[in-house]
Amino acid sequence: MSGGGARIAVRVAEVTEVNALIRRIRFVRPDGGPMPAFSGGAHTVVEMDDHGTRRRNPYSLMGDPADTTGYSIAVRRDDAGRGGSLFLHRHVVPGMDMVISHPVNLFALDLRAKKHLMIAGGIGITPFLAQIAQLAALGGRFELHYATRNPALCAYGDELAARYGGRVHLYHDDAGQMIDLPALLAGQPLGTHLYVCGPKGMIRWVRSSAESAGWPRAAVHHEEFLAPPPGKVFDVTLAASGKTITVGTHQSLLEAIEAAGVDAPYLCRGGACGQCETDVLGCDGTIRHNDHWLTEAQKASGQKIMPCVSRFEGRSLVLDR
Amino acid sequence: MAGPDAFGEGIWAKKKPGAQTGAAGMTKTVFPPSIPSRPTYGVLAPRPGPAHLMIADGDGAGAVLDLVGAGDAGMAAGSHLIYLPGPDGTDRTAELAALGLARFHRAPSFAAALPRLRKVLGDAHMGVQIYLAGSEGLIGQAQREVMEAGLPHDAVQTEHRGTTVRRVQCVHCKGITENVATDPFTCGHCGLALFVRDHYSRRIAAFQGVNIDAEDPGLVPPPVEKFR
Amino acid sequence: MGLTFKDETFRGDFTFFNSPAAIRRFPFPFPEDSYMYSVNMEPHVPGRPGSVFEKTFDVDEHYVAEMRERARVLAEDPLRCQSLPHMTLAGWDLLELIMQAKAREYPDWFSLHRDGDRWHWINRPLEIEQRFTFLDETTLPCGPMEYITRQTQGDFSLQDQRNDNLWMDAGMVTTQADWSLDFDIGMNFFEWHAPVPLAHEKQIFTRALKFLMNVQHGVPARRFNWTMTIDPLLDTSPENYPKWGPSRATLTPENVGRRMHLRVELQTFFRLPRSNALAFPIRCYLIRFEELATQPKWARRLHRVIRDLPDELAAYKGFLRNKPIMVDYLAQFDDGTPTSPGWWAED
């Protein structure tokens, strides 16, 4: 399987400013044909030609999974980021042709659950919008707890509350409102699955609280896409293709491999899915492992690297790619 | 796939399971390595949680005693133990009753314990810790109830103690024979001579039994006591 | 289409056979003169015209007879089709995948008209016409997976993907190589394959699982598996082993060419969009040794493969006791000349 697998040529149908930070982009097929159905929690990788730099960023699909007329994503502007969100905020306009991947789901509902308990922080609401639409259609039991800084940034909060009433609980940091997590976790019936998506700190808080409250690991789900962190420039030798490449400060190793014309597999580009796992043939230096995929033992062995988010510091790195 | 000449499971013919001999006498059973569908068991250890549900039979009592002994002072107050005699008649009710757990129930059989177990699971909340100990039949059937109540199967702690007799489902007639001690054995429902595989279904809570003389009717090797 | 569906049986008088055209398109599974387990995955993209790879779901001359056989097996044992409660959505996914592919690729035989969620399906070879509401189980005579797989050749399993594993949580299994859906349903990928010898040690299933969990929507994959069956018996189930097992003791040098069949599984893998489950169709093709021997390259190669196969594998595949008879029979077709690489008989 090459690159990111199957892709879909799409046209931007609508661009909507949801609030000061978030804009929604809707994609349709240029010929008006149906998009593939998807499962709640799925993401798509959006390809961008940012003035000569190829960017590929994953975004959760936020629409109703049964609606095949188009896909919607919500993009939070990150002024300090690498440029993907800024490109989508500044340069994407209705009518523009783009390429996205088929949906991939690394944050699927466990459909055996007797109840789905969802905890969202900020832009982490997006996968839940699709999951809630799916569960509402299937008659599934869910409860959402959604925390944002203030009502103005509480995207889709009012709509969710209006449609689903008591199943939706909103919290605003500025008003000093906090999710009472210990009480929430203590009262759930057997068979509840817990889902969390939001800032790194929130995910850590929810997962560790669940663990100390005795929740089994297999009933706790989270999604966290890492942006590839910047770092020092380094060189890499790609043994299979006989090339030596340089990875820039704000470029990921995967992006540098792709820019050199070498085909490399990927799905999430955020250190979670494992698809881009690459064998290290030689390493004189330190690999900066930033992924959620490799085990601690694998990281320590120095024989594997996830080029989507991980970097290198030292004299030489040789990869089987 | 299911034929008695299938490889990878003949290990039972060579080695019998035994108990580790420790200072305390009966402890965790050590089974020889087998195929990935064969259940494996650990050693019960206290885990944080608001409530503790323990289900044990026969020599599983020893695992419960060790577990409560290792737990903190508050564990007994949050514990509920359902205990039944083992398939070999082992009954250590008196020792367990002396533990002073918040709730202790002695049932004469698993079938008799089932209504209570289902009520307790229906009332339970996420965070409850579940501990199963004793025979494979008890552990498997209780684990199935816990799974049906919604907990992942690997969220349950298990420890095997005592008898290694097996619960076996005949793949042909679907009848389950309890406490199988020999291989081959005669299906208690359809009467076929069955070879006992290590292939195990959590959903059925049983090992698989396959007709041993299907290809050569009448050629049944003498039964060997492999599980005691 | 120019294809006649044969009236034939897979039990009793065993009238099944392959026409010369069916022999030529048989999916011979050995690309080289030896065999060992491997993950051997490739993209499931349209293959040579006329081959079993040409269409997403191959429909061949045995279609109607195989569906009649499936109905008989299910009447005798309904446990051969089961779906755990959370897999209904995956069943709808499968129904949609198959109906769309068949209507697109075999428009003379199948048609699908969709008006929103009101669907109208016509299966002309089986004389079925059904109007139903998509995602509403009450509008079909049975569950969606059972409905569509009663009309599609091959076994099917639907794998739920969760907790870094695939869980075999639904299936239609009536043409199996000796495994029990009723026993295995609910198992994970390693447990389901637990009885397979040698492969676990070689990490075959670890690598296969990793590949399958990353199969993406729109990019299906396929691989072969194979075994041997005496007589063209589709339903070699463990449930019925006492019924078909005795046939293994009746093979002779005189009847091996007629009664021994190479049994090939074309396994395909599809990511299902709505449920995120993985569909795993396992299509069984049978060919008797006599039929296979009409293709010199295949006969030479099969002789070498069987002759050199480790006994563990021959035992697992259930033909260890008959291996000498099979090798002796096939030896007459092997003059020692080299065989060209690849599956195709004509290359």
Side-chain angles (χ1 to χ4, degrees), chain A residues 137-222:
Chain A
L138 293 173
R141 185 175 168 202
F142 67 89
E143 185 177 309
L144 171 71
H145 296 261
Y146 175 22
T148 54
R149 207 183 304 155
N150 55 51
L153 291 176
C154 186
Y156 303 102
D158 292 342
E159 288 144 72
L160 287 165
R163 184 171 303 173
Y164 301 111
R167 286 184 281 180
V168 172
H169 304 259
L170 305 177
Y171 305 80
H172 303 303
D173 299 348
D174 290 352
Q177 297 163 340
M178 274 274 287
I179 300 173
D180 184 358
L181 198 53
L184 189 61
L185 293 177
Q188 300 303 321
L190 222 54
T192 304
H193 279 247
L194 174 65
Y195 306 82
V196 56
C197 186
K200 186 181 264 200
M202 175 188 236
I203 292 173
R204 206 180 302 129
W205 173 58
V206 171
R207 293 180 73 202
S208 64
S209 300
E211 190 178 348
S212 48
W215 282 59
R217 190 175 287 257
V220 181
H221 312 266
H222 71 285

Side-chain angles (χ1 to χ4, degrees), chain C residues 56-126:
Chain C
T56 310
F57 295 94
D58 183 43
V59 178
D60 67 10
E61 64 185 19
H62 309 297
Y63 176 50
V64 174
E66 284 188 27
M67 293 301 95
R68 204 179 295 141
E69 169 68 10
R70 166 156 292 162
R72 276 193 201 113
V73 173
L74 289 171
E76 290 167 4
D77 183 0
L79 296 175
R80 306 299 188 81
C81 180
Q82 296 189 50
S83 176
L84 298 183
H86 62 284
M87 296 303 282
T88 304
L89 184 62
W92 284 111
D93 266 331
L94 182 70
L95 175 143
E96 179 178 37
L97 173 71
I98 294 176
M99 285 188 177
Q100 284 188 321
K102 283 189 167 177
R104 182 176 67 243
E105 296 173 347
Y106 297 97
D108 291 349
W109 295 338
F110 306 98
S111 54
L112 176 66
H113 303 283
R114 298 167 59 162
D115 174 15
D117 58 3
R118 293 189 359 218
W119 292 27
H120 180 198
W121 165 249
I122 298 173
N123 177 337
R124 292 180 191 86
L126 295 181

Side-chain angles (χ1 to χ4, degrees), chain A residues 237-244 321:
Chain A
T237 302
L238 306 177
S241 39
K243 295 186 177 180
T244 297
R321 186 61 75 194

